[in-house]
Amino acid sequence: MDLSGQLALTVLMGVFLVGVAVLLTRVEDWRSYTPLASGGVYGDETGHAVQHKPSGITRWLTTVDHKDIGMLYGAYAIIAFVWGGLAVLIMRTELADPAATLIEAGFYNGLLTSHGITMLFLFGTPIIAAFSNYFVPLLIGADDMAFPRINAIAFWLLPPGALLIWAGFLIPGMAPSQTSWTMYTPLSIEQTHAATDLMLLGLHLTGVSATMGAINFIATIFTERGDDVNWANLDIFSWTILTQSGLILFAFPLLGSALIMLLLDRNFGTTFFTVDGGSPILWQHLFWFFGHPEVYILVLPPMGIVSYVLPKFSGRKLFGFKFVVYSTLAIGVLSFGVWAHHMFSTGIDPRVRASFMAVSMAIAIPSAVKTFNWITTMWNGKIRLTTPMLFCIGFVSNFIIGGVTGVFLAAIPIDLVLHDTYYVVGHFHYIVMGAIAFAGFAGLYYWYPIFTGKMYQRTLAKAHFWLWMVGTNLTFLAMLLLGYEGMPRRYATYTFDAGIVNLDVITALHQVATLGAFLIAFGTIVWVFNFVQSWYEGPDVGEDPWGLEDSTLYGREFEWHRNRLRTAVADGGEEDVVTDGGNEE
């Protein structure tokens, strides 16, 4: 990047940050629940006035309602998911043939970088924010988030962040960044792509957004709980969001600092991470001190969703509620002590490696506690195989595979053999796609009646589940086997010495993985069609779509849903609703 480009970029970002600062200074009442955009009371407090939300695009651009913000997070995350999914489909098509030249190697590297960053930062964190924004205030009996306007600002930092991250694909003549999502130095310093600078700035914006959201959730759960909600009866989903927010508070600012140092190395000749005068290994320490807690930032709330939804269709309360909470907190603390197991092969002191191996294995204990609690909850329960329950069961089974394969990587001798092979990719994706995404779908199907007031199509929903279940295990089991065969990750083409590895076996495993990826893609199309079509044409749901009101499992958010229906103006309709796994018999 030439000097004029650097100066223009610096000025652009400076103007943007000044604009944000000016906007913040004009917000006078940070805790107002009656902003202009979402209706409320104006003037004399003793008077009475009612103004409904504006309609159309104005509503979505100006809203500070936590439910609207949650919907915006959800829409944003789905767009990012589609982008990241298309990227990986192109990559998997390329890998189906060992010498294919469907795309150039540089473009493959760009897709690889974009896929990882998009799925982790633009899909993973925002989709969790969608759930937490919408439901945490409802679950704890709050009117809204503690700081509604900060909540809106946190979301609106994300779209420009995404555009900056994707700039290499969107701006003609600019090559995409090719650093992979880990942005290891010295590669990320020496690459001259301007897209890398823009990507780093975009990542910085997403980090600021996540940190603002985390502070807001901590403040909301501590200060806005209803009178009847204490720490003992706080729901498990809110517990996981509270723990996740604490992790974000420590992890993301460190990433932001490291990103600034990397930008300074690239543009102003500093030597934090250079080979001469700095240390590329320092980048890895800083990155993974953020990177491994990031895994738990992503997985703890989905664990909370499963812990919340699974008992509803097991007919029993969550077994060992206190131990699930304690294990959540234990994972949060231990997650900051495992970063160096990503660096066993970098030559760090053997005594340090041994201590990190011990901590990495120890974190399996609270994870196993949760797994046993989920299984015990289902044991002898009255299980209803609704779509949310199917995704919960899929989550548990995939999480077991992902967790067990991770224990092997925590062992130094095995990690040195499997490091940077497809085994790592398979393990990681069993957690991210096999577990986190499944839990997300469990939550989406369970709360769909609240989101939309409609019921989805049961047959399509179950087709979605089975396409994902089969596709996920085909893809990532094949990757585990590829790792055992010694297939390195991040390669666009591959060949092997016939005396060591049979290339036909490697090719067949890649083709199986590609087939699984397309099954997942097809299942995703079924899911999107089902949700969109049902939103417009599905039957209206009643007050208790899951048949839980007579049990102790009736959630606070459905009480809110019932009150909404009773106070809303009825719009007619005579079609009876058949719930998924409810009373269709």
Side-chain angles (χ1 to χ4, degrees), residues 401-413:
I401 298 173
V404 170
T405 52
V407 172
F408 289 106
L409 288 176
I412 297 170

PDB file of all heavy atoms in Angstrom, residues 401-413:
ATOM      1  N   ILE A 401     -18.346 -35.789  20.178  1.00  0.00           N
ATOM      2  CA  ILE A 401     -17.282 -36.106  19.205  1.00  0.00           C
ATOM      3  C   ILE A 401     -16.250 -34.975  19.164  1.00  0.00           C
ATOM      4  O   ILE A 401     -15.040 -35.210  19.225  1.00  0.00           O
ATOM      5  CB  ILE A 401     -17.884 -36.325  17.806  1.00  0.00           C
ATOM      6  CG1 ILE A 401     -18.849 -37.518  17.834  1.00  0.00           C
ATOM      7  CG2 ILE A 401     -16.787 -36.561  16.778  1.00  0.00           C
ATOM      8  CD1 ILE A 401     -19.616 -37.716  16.529  1.00  0.00           C
ATOM      9  N   GLY A 402     -16.735 -33.742  19.091  1.00  0.00           N
ATOM     10  CA  GLY A 402     -15.815 -32.601  19.051  1.00  0.00           C
ATOM     11  C   GLY A 402     -14.993 -32.482  20.316  1.00  0.00           C
ATOM     12  O   GLY A 402     -13.799 -32.159  20.266  1.00  0.00           O
ATOM     13  N   GLY A 403     -15.611 -32.738  21.461  1.00  0.00           N
ATOM     14  CA  GLY A 403     -14.886 -32.630  22.730  1.00  0.00           C
ATOM     15  C   GLY A 403     -13.835 -33.709  22.885  1.00  0.00           C
ATOM     16  O   GLY A 403     -12.694 -33.426  23.280  1.00  0.00           O
ATOM     17  N   VAL A 404     -14.188 -34.947  22.563  1.00  0.00           N
ATOM     18  CA  VAL A 404     -13.234 -36.050  22.714  1.00  0.00           C
ATOM     19  C   VAL A 404     -12.048 -35.873  21.765  1.00  0.00           C
ATOM     20  O   VAL A 404     -10.893 -36.079  22.150  1.00  0.00           O
ATOM     21  CB  VAL A 404     -13.941 -37.403  22.468  1.00  0.00           C
ATOM     22  CG1 VAL A 404     -12.925 -38.530  22.373  1.00  0.00           C
ATOM     23  CG2 VAL A 404     -14.937 -37.684  23.591  1.00  0.00           C
ATOM     24  N   THR A 405     -12.309 -35.475  20.520  1.00  0.00           N
ATOM     25  CA  THR A 405     -11.192 -35.251  19.590  1.00  0.00           C
ATOM     26  C   THR A 405     -10.316 -34.079  20.036  1.00  0.00           C
ATOM     27  O   THR A 405      -9.118 -34.050  19.740  1.00  0.00           O
ATOM     28  CB  THR A 405     -11.713 -34.967  18.170  1.00  0.00           C
ATOM     29  OG1 THR A 405     -12.691 -33.906  18.226  1.00  0.00           O
ATOM     30  CG2 THR A 405     -12.382 -36.199  17.581  1.00  0.00           C
ATOM     31  N   GLY A 406     -10.898 -33.138  20.784  1.00  0.00           N
ATOM     32  CA  GLY A 406     -10.104 -32.029  21.308  1.00  0.00           C
ATOM     33  C   GLY A 406      -9.176 -32.454  22.425  1.00  0.00           C
ATOM     34  O   GLY A 406      -8.083 -31.894  22.581  1.00  0.00           O
ATOM     35  N   VAL A 407      -9.576 -33.441  23.218  1.00  0.00           N
ATOM     36  CA  VAL A 407      -8.709 -33.932  24.295  1.00  0.00           C
ATOM     37  C   VAL A 407      -7.404 -34.481  23.724  1.00  0.00           C
ATOM     38  O   VAL A 407      -6.323 -34.262  24.282  1.00  0.00           O
ATOM     39  CB  VAL A 407      -9.445 -35.003  25.124  1.00  0.00           C
ATOM     40  CG1 VAL A 407      -8.485 -35.660  26.119  1.00  0.00           C
ATOM     41  CG2 VAL A 407     -10.625 -34.391  25.865  1.00  0.00           C
ATOM     42  N   PHE A 408      -7.485 -35.143  22.571  1.00  0.00           N
ATOM     43  CA  PHE A 408      -6.259 -35.670  21.960  1.00  0.00           C
ATOM     44  C   PHE A 408      -5.324 -34.531  21.557  1.00  0.00           C
ATOM     45  O   PHE A 408      -4.105 -34.641  21.680  1.00  0.00           O
ATOM     46  CB  PHE A 408      -6.609 -36.521  20.736  1.00  0.00           C
ATOM     47  CG  PHE A 408      -7.256 -37.831  21.099  1.00  0.00           C
ATOM     48  CD1 PHE A 408      -8.611 -38.039  20.899  1.00  0.00           C
ATOM     49  CD2 PHE A 408      -6.511 -38.848  21.663  1.00  0.00           C
ATOM     50  CE1 PHE A 408      -9.203 -39.241  21.237  1.00  0.00           C
ATOM     51  CE2 PHE A 408      -7.090 -40.061  22.004  1.00  0.00           C
ATOM     52  CZ  PHE A 408      -8.445 -40.262  21.795  1.00  0.00           C
ATOM     53  N   LEU A 409      -5.897 -33.432  21.059  1.00  0.00           N
ATOM     54  CA  LEU A 409      -5.047 -32.309  20.655  1.00  0.00           C
ATOM     55  C   LEU A 409      -4.421 -31.611  21.854  1.00  0.00           C
ATOM     56  O   LEU A 409      -3.440 -30.881  21.710  1.00  0.00           O
ATOM     57  CB  LEU A 409      -5.870 -31.294  19.838  1.00  0.00           C
ATOM     58  CG  LEU A 409      -6.267 -31.738  18.432  1.00  0.00           C
ATOM     59  CD1 LEU A 409      -7.150 -30.690  17.773  1.00  0.00           C
ATOM     60  CD2 LEU A 409      -5.025 -32.001  17.582  1.00  0.00           C
ATOM     61  N   ALA A 410      -4.992 -31.791  23.037  1.00  0.00           N
ATOM     62  CA  ALA A 410      -4.395 -31.194  24.236  1.00  0.00           C
ATOM     63  C   ALA A 410      -3.159 -31.957  24.687  1.00  0.00           C
ATOM     64  O   ALA A 410      -2.372 -31.445  25.492  1.00  0.00           O
ATOM     65  CB  ALA A 410      -5.429 -31.166  25.362  1.00  0.00           C
ATOM     66  N   ALA A 411      -2.988 -33.200  24.206  1.00  0.00           N
ATOM     67  CA  ALA A 411      -1.809 -34.002  24.562  1.00  0.00           C
ATOM     68  C   ALA A 411      -0.652 -33.629  23.640  1.00  0.00           C
ATOM     69  O   ALA A 411      -0.779 -33.690  22.408  1.00  0.00           O
ATOM     70  CB  ALA A 411      -2.132 -35.485  24.445  1.00  0.00           C
ATOM     71  N   ILE A 412       0.485 -33.260  24.211  1.00  0.00           N
ATOM     72  CA  ILE A 412       1.601 -32.736  23.422  1.00  0.00           C
ATOM     73  C   ILE A 412       2.063 -33.705  22.331  1.00  0.00           C
ATOM     74  O   ILE A 412       2.190 -33.309  21.166  1.00  0.00           O
ATOM     75  CB  ILE A 412       2.785 -32.373  24.350  1.00  0.00           C
ATOM     76  CG1 ILE A 412       2.366 -31.261  25.308  1.00  0.00           C
ATOM     77  CG2 ILE A 412       4.004 -31.940  23.537  1.00  0.00           C
ATOM     78  CD1 ILE A 412       3.377 -30.997  26.406  1.00  0.00           C
ATOM     79  N   PRO A 413       2.308 -34.995  22.642  1.00  0.00           N
ATOM     80  CA  PRO A 413       2.834 -35.888  21.580  1.00  0.00           C
ATOM     81  C   PRO A 413       1.877 -36.009  20.399  1.00  0.00           C
ATOM     82  O   PRO A 413       2.316 -36.016  19.240  1.00  0.00           O
ATOM     83  CB  PRO A 413       3.001 -37.223  22.308  1.00  0.00           C
ATOM     84  CG  PRO A 413       3.023 -36.895  23.752  1.00  0.00           C
ATOM     85  CD  PRO A 413       2.149 -35.705  23.913  1.00  0.00           C
TER      86      PRO A 413
END
